[in-house]
Amino acid sequence: VASFFFIGLMSMMIPLCHVFGALIAVCLFMGLFDGCFICIMAPIAFELVGAQDVSQAIGFLLGLMSVPMTVGPPIAGLLRDKLGTYDVAFYLAGVPPLIGGAMLCFIPWVHERQKLKER
């Protein structure tokens, strides 16, 4: 969850980097946390859906991740054409990971409720 939050936060910080060194630092942290997220994606999928469906869940996650990665750059270019800057595109790119991180915080709570209903 922390890596997901930091990915969103680092995306939003890119327009605030006015010095090249700051941009390098933001990109390094973003890459580190992105790597952490990719590494924990399989165990999270395993925990959520079980051993039988984990391969399908990972494929579904990667398929869903491909949509914004394919559609995002043309939308960012459109925003740049309309607004004259890429800043809004970077701010908007940081919102989904922040929302996703917030949603991941509720997973333990949902599991506890399911266990209580089973009892």
Side-chain angles (χ1 to χ4, degrees), residues 80-96:
R80 200 287 188 193
D81 290 343
K82 298 283 182 189
L83 302 174
T85 181
Y86 282 108
D87 292 356
V88 174
F90 283 108
Y91 295 137
L92 291 175
V95 172

Side-chain angles (χ1 to χ4, degrees), residues 44-65:
I44 289 173
F46 182 83
E47 184 178 329
L48 289 175
V49 299
Q52 288 182 320
D53 298 325
V54 73
S55 62
Q56 186 175 4
I58 292 172
F60 187 70
L61 283 168
L62 292 173
L64 283 177
M65 287 171 54

Side-chain angles (χ1 to χ4, degrees), residues 18-80:
H18 299 292
V19 178
F20 187 66
L23 181 63
I24 290 174
V26 166
C27 289
L28 284 173
F29 280 111
M30 189 171 178
L32 173 72
F33 289 113
D34 185 52
C36 292
F37 170 71
I38 296 299
C39 289
I40 64 171
M41 187 171 58
I44 289 173
F46 182 83
E47 184 178 329
L48 289 175
V49 299
Q52 288 182 320
D53 298 325
V54 73
S55 62
Q56 186 175 4
I58 292 172
F60 187 70
L61 283 168
L62 292 173
L64 283 177
M65 287 171 54
S66 71
V67 173
M69 290 186 173
T70 303
V71 177
I75 292 174
L78 183 69
L79 286 171
R80 200 287 188 193

